[in-house]
Amino acid sequence: MTETRHADVVVLGAGLAGLTAAVRLAEAGLKVVTVAKGLGSLRLAPATIDILGYAPQRVDSPTASLPGFVAAHPQHPYSLVSAQVLAASVSWLKDHVDGYSYVGEPSTNMLLPTAIGVPRPSAVVPKTMVGGDIRDLSTVAVAGLRVLKDFHPALAAENLQAAAAAAGLSLQVRPVMLDVPVDGEVDVGTLALARHFSDKKFRTAVGAELRRALSDEQAVGVPAVLGLDDVQEVWSQFTEEVGKPVFEIPTIPPSVPGMRLAALLQARFRAAGGRLVLGAQATGPELRDGKLVGVRVAAAARETPRLCRWVVLATGGLASGGIDVDLAGHAAETALGLPVRGPGADQAAFLPSYLADHPIDTIGLTVDANLRPAGPDGEPVYQNLRAAGAIIGGARPWREKSGDGISLSTGYLAAESILQEAR
Amino acid sequence: MTAEHTEGWQGLELMRGSLDHCVKCTICETACPVAAVTPLFPGPKYVGPQAERFRTHEPSVDSSLDYCSSCGICTLSCPQGVHVAEINSQARAAMKKQRGIPLRDQLIARSGLEGKLGTPVAPLANLVLGNSLVRALTERTIGIHRDAPLPKFAGRTFQGWARRRPPSETTTDKVVYFHGCSTNYFEPGLGRMTVAVLEHNGFSVVVPPQDCCGLPLQSNGIFDTARSYVRRLVAHLVPYARQGYKIVATSTSCGLMLKREAIEILGVADDDLRLVSEHTYDICEFLADLAADGRLRTDFRPVPLKITYHAPCQQQGHNIGKPALDLFDLVPGLTVVELDRACCGIAGTYGLKREKYDIAMQVGSGLFADIVGANPDLSICDSETCRWQITHGTGKTSAHPVEILHRAYGL
């Protein structure tokens, strides 16, 4: 008996990994349903593609450092991603977000300032941020907007200058504070400012004030609030207004660059016929004779199976709820009940020092070469399941600055592996 | 502790407990359509999980809560499972109880009563409500905005039609139709089309007597009455649920009231409600499930129309995606433009209110522009108040997805 399917593929999760897999599969002609508990965490991210930033020293070239890094970390997700796949996933992303041009290659890390002035190694970034690469600058201004209480140019400037000096770069950084015409509002967030910047009159006024505030700096960094889907237009017009190169510096959430990238990928997914089911949570596998034939999904009033040929699991790691650890230290994969590799029951999850490499950091799934989650014996649990993104164990993305590269490349690879079977 | 108190308390604890899951990530803030257009509503995170910690039994000095439209997009967007909208609805009900509920809110929350009063005198009622002088006066006296979209009384109820119609041919498959007030009093044609589509698929359709589900009362903070309304409706429906029959709803928000909101917002703890809830389906969900199982008739004629489809916020609250699109895929000749906007602004009765009309129209402006830009023959939407708002905002006819299937079947 052939059973009617609701979709070819069910993708669980709508972050960078899930969206990458979902868009690729849908564009290849498969019927894809993405099931997500909420809008994915991509909206919180700076939207740069950090591939490998520290290993543990600062990395200048991810592609040059990766072979050695993988040899030293054989259980790292990057051990499953070839240089070709990484490069292909980066070009794929560039082709798919043409409304928000990305530049850079996995071969070279730029050094871009964060909101607190730390130079961050990042390989592939939106064009609006590239001008902040401090390797190319000797004098720069960092401008804040007085109503934006989450961005402090004096702090950023002081830290950036000190960090540049420590890195052997000669860089002068000057903070500038701007008053913007927001009609009596005293506390305006990044998203509200991005909406203000879509108004030409507003950005002309801010641009003129910034021009007056600058002297002989080569470029000026501003918080990343230069418009939403209209960012290209807003950024280039604002730059003209200022009369000097302007670059965006990512902020704490709400992250406007993350919203831009998420919106573009979601639009791609929709255009390819993909379907998004939001606010729904996967509660377990749907099995027939031990085989995975779908996912059980909790919606309003009831739980129902969504049947499919393949499942991509991209629900995120411990921080996103894809993995859960209870107070007794028992770890569980929350969507399908898969085996989790983490600190054993007899091992401490945490070390005494806050900044230590805690055993729990690398908790996640073990996967085979095709990204199929595997049991302790190394055998795939289900032949038609793939995992992508932070749910794969073995990485310390916040320390390595590797999270975006892992999500993008494994999302891409999970789709590749399914497409090979579908052909 | 009274039964009523126990219920409210349980509902509150169920939702309020979720606020500890809030990690202040702001995703709900980025998705909120109301905060995007007015500083009067500072956003779901501030008004919800943050402000909730400071709410006590003392009256609150903060009125911003009243500007939440209850569209529910914050709950839908939250990756941590915080019931933001539910927390806000409950807090607003408590606030309105402290401050007193305006006559205006008491009136617009009783759509069933309005239907009963207006139907026998429909031509007169429509004439009066269509009069700009009357509307101006209504705005000044009770605060219903003069331009807000109000439906027209059909003059004949759907219930009346259902009672007079010959019974469906006896089939083994029986389905119960929960049509809601709007179909009964304002759009009985939608009810007739729904019955025809279901019967065409071999179902005999039962239309039990039914009253308002209490949703407008709930969204206006009148919880006690809303609870008695939903219990009364459940009493009509539960005998069928006990026999295992599915209950289908064409009013997507009223269906959601049975599925979720009566439990999660009103805190009605009741086995009968739970049973009805588990048996309730949105009509498109029901039909798309049939299609997925290969049981939906596909003898569709070409429908050479261009349509836009807006899945309203309340439909998204079912967490079922957009099954209407799966149904449209089956209809030959149909050109579908999927719209990607969160809300049309009306949010039930929110956009009718004098002080909120402009906000509602601004919330809907993106959607209206998309529809006007696409220039469709019909703009399709699952919710009646949204259809009235869309027609008001675009000048274009708006219809329920069932209407497309009805045409495609040639019924």
Side-chain angles (χ1 to χ4, degrees), chain A residues 70-350:
Chain A
V70 165
H73 302 86
Q75 293 191 318
H76 195 280
Y78 274 143
S79 66
L80 306 165
V81 177
S82 66
Q84 288 80 2
V85 165
L86 182 63
S89 70
V90 166
S91 345
W92 179 89
L93 182 77
K94 287 179 178 175
D95 290 345
H96 282 75
V97 288
D98 40 7
Y100 190 25
S101 359
Y102 272 69
V103 290
E105 294 297 333
S107 57
T108 312
N109 272 338
M110 303 170 217
L111 281 180
L112 304 174
T114 67
I116 55 166
V118 177
R120 193 162 61 107
S122 204
V124 182
V125 307
K127 200 166 143 192
T128 59
M129 295 182 192
V130 177
D133 188 350
I134 60 164
R135 298 175 310 160
D136 304 331
L137 295 169
S138 56
T139 57
V140 66
V142 174
L145 312 170
R146 206 175 302 279
V147 289
L148 177 61
K149 293 183 173 165
D150 295 331
F151 188 91
H152 306 278
L155 172 73
E158 191 181 321
N159 279 347
L160 189 60
Q161 181 149 337
L169 297 166
S170 159
L171 179 69
Q172 291 300 313
V173 191
R174 190 169 70 90
V176 173
M177 190 61 106
L178 303 175
D179 288 301
V180 296
V182 285
D183 219 12
E185 290 178 67
V186 290
D187 183 3
V188 186
T190 51
L191 176 57
L193 279 167
R195 288 173 178 142
H196 276 301
F197 265 97
S198 295
D199 172 16
K200 194 165 182 211
K201 233 171 82 187
F202 178 89
R203 64 177 178 257
T204 306
V206 179
E209 198 191 330
L210 182 52
R211 183 197 281 264
R212 282 193 296 274
L214 296 177
S215 52
D216 57 352
E217 288 87 5
Q218 289 169 288
V220 57
V222 297
V225 296
L226 300 180
L228 283 157
D229 56 351
D230 52 356
V231 54
Q232 298 290 6
E233 186 196 336
V234 174
W235 174 63
S236 53
Q237 280 188 8
F238 186 65
T239 301
E240 249 173 67
E241 214 59 63
V242 174
K244 275 186 200 216
V246 173
F247 59 90
E248 287 192 305
I249 300 174
T251 64
I252 64 164
S255 172
V256 170
M259 290 179 64
R260 295 172 189 150
L261 179 56
L264 279 166
L265 287 175
Q266 273 175 11
R268 279 280 186 166
F269 183 54
R270 237 186 347 269
R275 298 282 158 77
L276 176 64
V277 179
L278 205 55
Q281 203 171 356
T283 52
E286 179 74 4
L287 303 174
R288 301 266 191 281
D289 306 322
K291 288 197 164 62
L292 183 70
V293 296
V295 182
R296 298 198 65 78
V297 176
R302 66 188 149 261
E303 186 184 289
T304 43
R306 288 214 171 239
L307 304 179
C308 57
R309 270 180 85 187
W310 294 277
V311 177
V312 176
L313 181 63
T315 46
L318 190 58
S320 303
I323 306 280
D324 190 34
V325 180
D326 68 15
L327 289 174
H330 301 296
E333 184 281 306
T334 54
L336 304 172
L338 298 168
V340 174
R341 184 183 70 202
D346 51 344
Q347 196 189 355
F350 295 97

Side-chain angles (χ1 to χ4, degrees), chain B residues 15-344:
Chain B
M15 296 298 110
R16 200 174 193 264
S18 74
L19 73 82
D20 280 340
H21 293 274
C22 178
V23 296
K24 318 289 176 221
C25 75
T26 69
I27 278 180
C28 61
E29 303 275 330
T30 68
C32 175
V34 176
V37 301
T38 174
L40 292 173
F41 186 63
K45 176 179 73 109
Y46 294 100
V47 173
Q50 276 171 216
E52 180 65 20
R53 292 182 190 281
F54 298 98
R55 291 190 190 114
T56 64
H57 295 292
E58 302 290 312
S60 171
V61 294
D62 176 23
S63 301
S64 64
L65 184 56
D66 191 45
Y67 279 89
C68 164
S69 77
S70 302
C71 68
I73 288 158
C74 43
T75 296
L76 194 68
S77 311
C78 178
Q80 305 295 338
V82 181
H83 294 275
V84 190
E86 290 77 5
I87 290 169
N88 285 342
S89 290
Q90 291 169 343
R92 186 179 40 216
M95 184 179 84
K96 289 179 88 161
K97 207 167 187 173
Q98 284 162 358
R99 297 184 179 183
I101 291 155
L103 172 68
R104 188 258 325 265
D105 296 8
Q106 295 275 10
L107 286 175
I108 58 176
R110 286 174 168 81
S111 44
L113 181 68
E114 285 146 25
K116 280 190 187 108
L117 292 176
T119 297
V121 291
L124 182 66
N126 291 334
L127 201 67
V128 169
L129 289 176
N131 181 291
S132 56
L133 204 67
V134 173
R135 289 297 301 271
L137 207 64
T138 319
E139 178 180 302
R140 287 188 62 166
T141 50
I142 60 171
I144 297 172
H145 196 281
R146 66 183 74 192
D147 297 325
L150 295 180
K152 283 194 161 48
F153 295 102
R156 293 172 57 177
T157 65
F158 173 69
Q159 277 278 331
W161 175 84
R163 275 197 303 272
R164 283 191 300 275
R165 120 199 117 103
S168 303
E169 277 177 47
T170 315
T171 55
T172 48
D173 283 331
K174 195 192 276 189
V175 69
V176 178
Y177 180 27
F178 165 45
H179 52 69
C181 302
S182 71
T183 301
N184 199 30
Y185 299 112
F186 306 121
E187 299 182 332
L190 171 61
R192 292 195 294 270
M193 284 187 265
T194 304
V195 171
V197 165
L198 289 167
E199 286 184 346
H200 185 70
N201 278 286
F203 290 93
S204 74
V205 183
V206 183
V207 183
Q210 50 192 278
D211 297 296
C212 174
C213 65
L215 174 60
L217 288 159
Q218 184 246 91
S219 68
N220 280 285
I222 310 167
F223 276 17
D224 293 348
T225 319
R227 286 188 192 112
S228 67
Y229 272 42
V230 77
R231 283 178 187 285
R232 188 178 59 188
L233 175 63
V234 164
H236 286 304
L237 299 175
V238 76
Y240 302 97
R242 281 201 196 104
Q243 294 172 65
Y245 296 121
K246 290 183 176 174
I247 300 159
V248 298
T250 44
S251 175
T252 198
S253 52
C254 303
L256 192 64
M257 177 70 169
L258 288 178
K259 271 187 173 183
R260 161 174 283 167
E261 297 194 345
I263 300 168
E264 296 186 356
I265 295 179
L266 296 178
V268 175
D270 183 315
D271 289 342
D272 283 355
L273 169 62
R274 207 160 277 280
L275 196 66
V276 166
S277 176
E278 282 162 10
H279 285 81
T280 300
Y281 289 75
D282 189 74
I283 183 78
C284 290
E285 175 187 23
F286 177 80
L287 296 172
D289 280 357
L290 285 183
D293 293 341
R295 289 178 51 213
L296 186 81
R297 281 183 64 170
T298 53
D299 51 339
F300 293 118
R301 304 173 183 186
V303 178
L305 291 181
K306 180 180 185 186
I307 61 169
T308 52
Y309 175 65
H310 165 61
C313 49
Q314 291 283 298
Q315 187 278 342
Q316 287 293 286
H318 289 256
N319 314 128
I320 53 175
K322 300 179 180 177
L325 292 176
D326 294 328
L327 297 169
F328 297 152
D329 279 351
L330 304 170
V331 177
L334 194 64
T335 308
V336 184
V337 180
E338 179 189 357
L339 303 170
D340 181 36
R341 297 284 181 172
C343 184
C344 71

